[in-house]
Amino acid sequence: MNYVVKNMEAIRTNKRMTKTHVAKHCGKTITWYKDIAKGRRGVYLDDVLLIAEALEEEPMVLFNPKLSETLIVKKTA
């Protein structure tokens, strides 16, 4: 799984948002989001922009390779 998807999932879980919430906000199905989260579907820039909006984050945050490590440490601490 690439770090963009890891960041999306880390932010989503830290904000206690469901996959369903994100998918509905994006106008997509839950299967669409689950497939992205599990790495079965590629994540494209258009998808990243939609998901960032659903997560109420700037899209560039999702491209930070160190973010998921920071969020995971905070979550387990």
Side-chain angles (χ1 to χ4, degrees), residues 30-75:
I30 183 64
T31 303
W32 169 83
Y33 188 82
K34 283 182 179 181
D35 285 348
I36 289 173
K38 293 190 180 225
R40 292 188 298 238
R41 172 189 282 273
V43 62
Y44 300 99
L45 183 57
D46 291 345
D47 299 333
V48 172
L49 297 175
L50 287 172
I51 293 167
E53 183 179 312
L55 296 173
E56 300 172 347
E57 293 288 342
E58 291 295 320
M60 289 307 298
V61 171
L62 301 177
F63 291 97
N64 182 345
K66 299 291 183 185
L67 178 65
S68 56
E69 294 171 21
T70 303
L71 289 173
I72 289 168
V73 168
K74 283 183 184 178
K75 187 176 179 183

Side-chain angles (χ1 to χ4, degrees), residues 19-30:
K19 292 176 182 175
T20 303
H21 168 82
V22 176
K24 283 185 178 181
H25 188 279
C26 295
K28 305 286 186 173
T29 65
I30 183 64

Side-chain angles (χ1 to χ4, degrees), residues 10-21:
I11 291 169
R12 184 187 64 75
T13 55
N14 278 342
K15 290 188 173 194
R16 296 190 170 126
M17 291 182 174
T18 64
K19 292 176 182 175
T20 303
H21 168 82

